[in-house]
Amino acid sequence: NARRNAERLYSIFGDVKVVFIIREQINMLTSIYSQYVKMGGTLPIKSFVFDPIVSNGLLERLKWHKQITMYREIFGADNVHIGLYEEFRDNKEKFLYSLSEFLEIGNVLLKNEINSRANKALSSFSCEIARIGNKAFRSHLNNAKNNGTAITTISSSTTNLNLTFSDTIAPTITGITSNVSVNLAESLTI
């Protein structure tokens, strides 16, 4: 329970400053989905968003205003700071100046490392390719036994990606192939 956790934090730490760094929800959802695929996930984005096990309560957790309102009620509005990820991405100096003012710690100096990206996002196309490819490998997000399926052919056009899968575990049985055609415009739309 989020309220219970916030109240416990307040009872332990008292009047402290709370910092929220939030991101525009569609971009955040896309980022979470991209990370899911990087970790081996196989669900299409629409299924991922509404899956009660894989992303339980995800949409509810992206309603920043509810969390912010609750923390302002518990810790006091003057003790809650909202930072925007997009501002951090686009203007780090302004973002850090605002944060250091709120925390009353003096201006924070930037180091060169802050401008590098450690966890680059997948493009929509790369995410779809990775998701389809993940189906051939077992992971904690795809615990189906690897059935020996492998991608043997990839061809694409502007709007379609065609993959040919074949069964590599049963080579004695001939002709076990299947084709998958993905309409990119349809499958990459949220």
Side-chain angles (χ1 to χ4, degrees), residues 90-162:
D90 298 338
N91 190 343
K92 291 172 182 60
E93 290 178 3
K94 181 180 177 185
F95 178 89
L96 291 174
Y97 177 79
S98 174
L99 180 60
S100 62
E101 286 288 309
F102 171 73
L103 296 173
E104 299 172 356
I105 59 172
N107 198 6
V108 175
L109 298 175
L110 287 176
K111 292 184 178 182
N112 289 337
E113 300 89 45
I114 201 162
N115 290 318
S116 65
R117 292 183 67 180
N119 187 14
K120 293 183 181 175
L122 295 173
S123 69
S124 296
F125 183 75
S126 297
C127 193
E128 188 65 12
I129 294 289
R131 183 186 72 78
I132 292 168
N134 286 345
K135 291 181 179 186
F137 302 100
R138 192 172 186 173
S139 75
H140 70 283
L141 293 173
N142 176 22
N143 61 7
K145 231 183 202 183
N146 183 341
N147 60 6
T149 302
I151 299 172
T152 58
T153 314
I154 299 176
S155 64
S156 65
S157 67
T158 312
T159 57
N160 283 301
L161 170 69
N162 299 303

Side-chain angles (χ1 to χ4, degrees), residues 156-176:
S156 65
S157 67
T158 312
T159 57
N160 283 301
L161 170 69
N162 299 303
L163 302 172
T164 303
F165 295 86
S166 69
D167 190 324
T168 57
I169 284 183
T172 57
I173 304 172
T174 58
I176 301 177

